[in-house]
Amino acid sequence: MNKDSDWMDLNDLNAELHEVKDALANLEHRLHQVQQAAIAKSELLKQQQQINQQLKESKIRRKPNAADRSSQVSDQQTYKQELQVISDRLEQIESELESRLISGSSLRETFWQIVRFGGLGIVIGLILRSCAG
């Protein structure tokens, strides 16, 4: 081999190395996002459980006069609003995770790997079949 081809091979190797580093950095970033979302989701679920418990307790308690009843209804409405906000946030977190999990580039890459290895498997199968038969 001459020096020019060696140099080009090193450039190709360097470019591949940078691509791998970028992919690893993206994967680490994605892992961090998933971990943060999991923490946020568990905290929201705890809050949701606490509010549900408070809502049940407020329904169980019966207050004698009308002023106390209006206060109880107000508390229940507040709890329900908080539950709705938490539910909305949980849905948002889950949709963000799903949308980031499935990206166009990952689907493209997976598709070409299936085509490449599936095609290779078919070719090997045909060769083995012709050798055996």
Side-chain angles (χ1 to χ4, degrees), residues 21-86:
K21 284 181 181 179
D22 289 342
L24 181 60
N26 288 337
L27 185 61
E28 287 176 342
H29 180 68
R30 176 71 184 129
L31 177 63
H32 180 70
Q33 287 177 332
V34 168
Q35 289 171 339
Q36 294 298 320
I39 290 169
K41 184 177 178 178
S42 68
E43 289 173 359
L44 287 172
L45 288 172
K46 285 179 187 177
Q47 287 178 359
Q48 188 178 36
Q49 188 178 21
Q50 289 172 350
I51 292 172
N52 278 329
Q53 185 64 30
Q54 290 173 347
L55 186 60
K56 286 178 186 177
E57 289 173 2
S58 70
K59 285 182 180 179
I60 292 173
R61 282 186 260 132
R62 300 282 181 205
K63 298 187 179 176
N65 61 28
D68 289 339
R69 284 191 185 144
S70 67
S71 171
Q72 183 181 12
V73 169
S74 173
D75 289 345
Q76 288 178 355
Q77 289 175 346
T78 303
Y79 292 146
K80 288 180 182 180
Q81 288 173 349
E82 288 177 17
L83 283 173
Q84 184 61 40
V85 169
I86 289 173

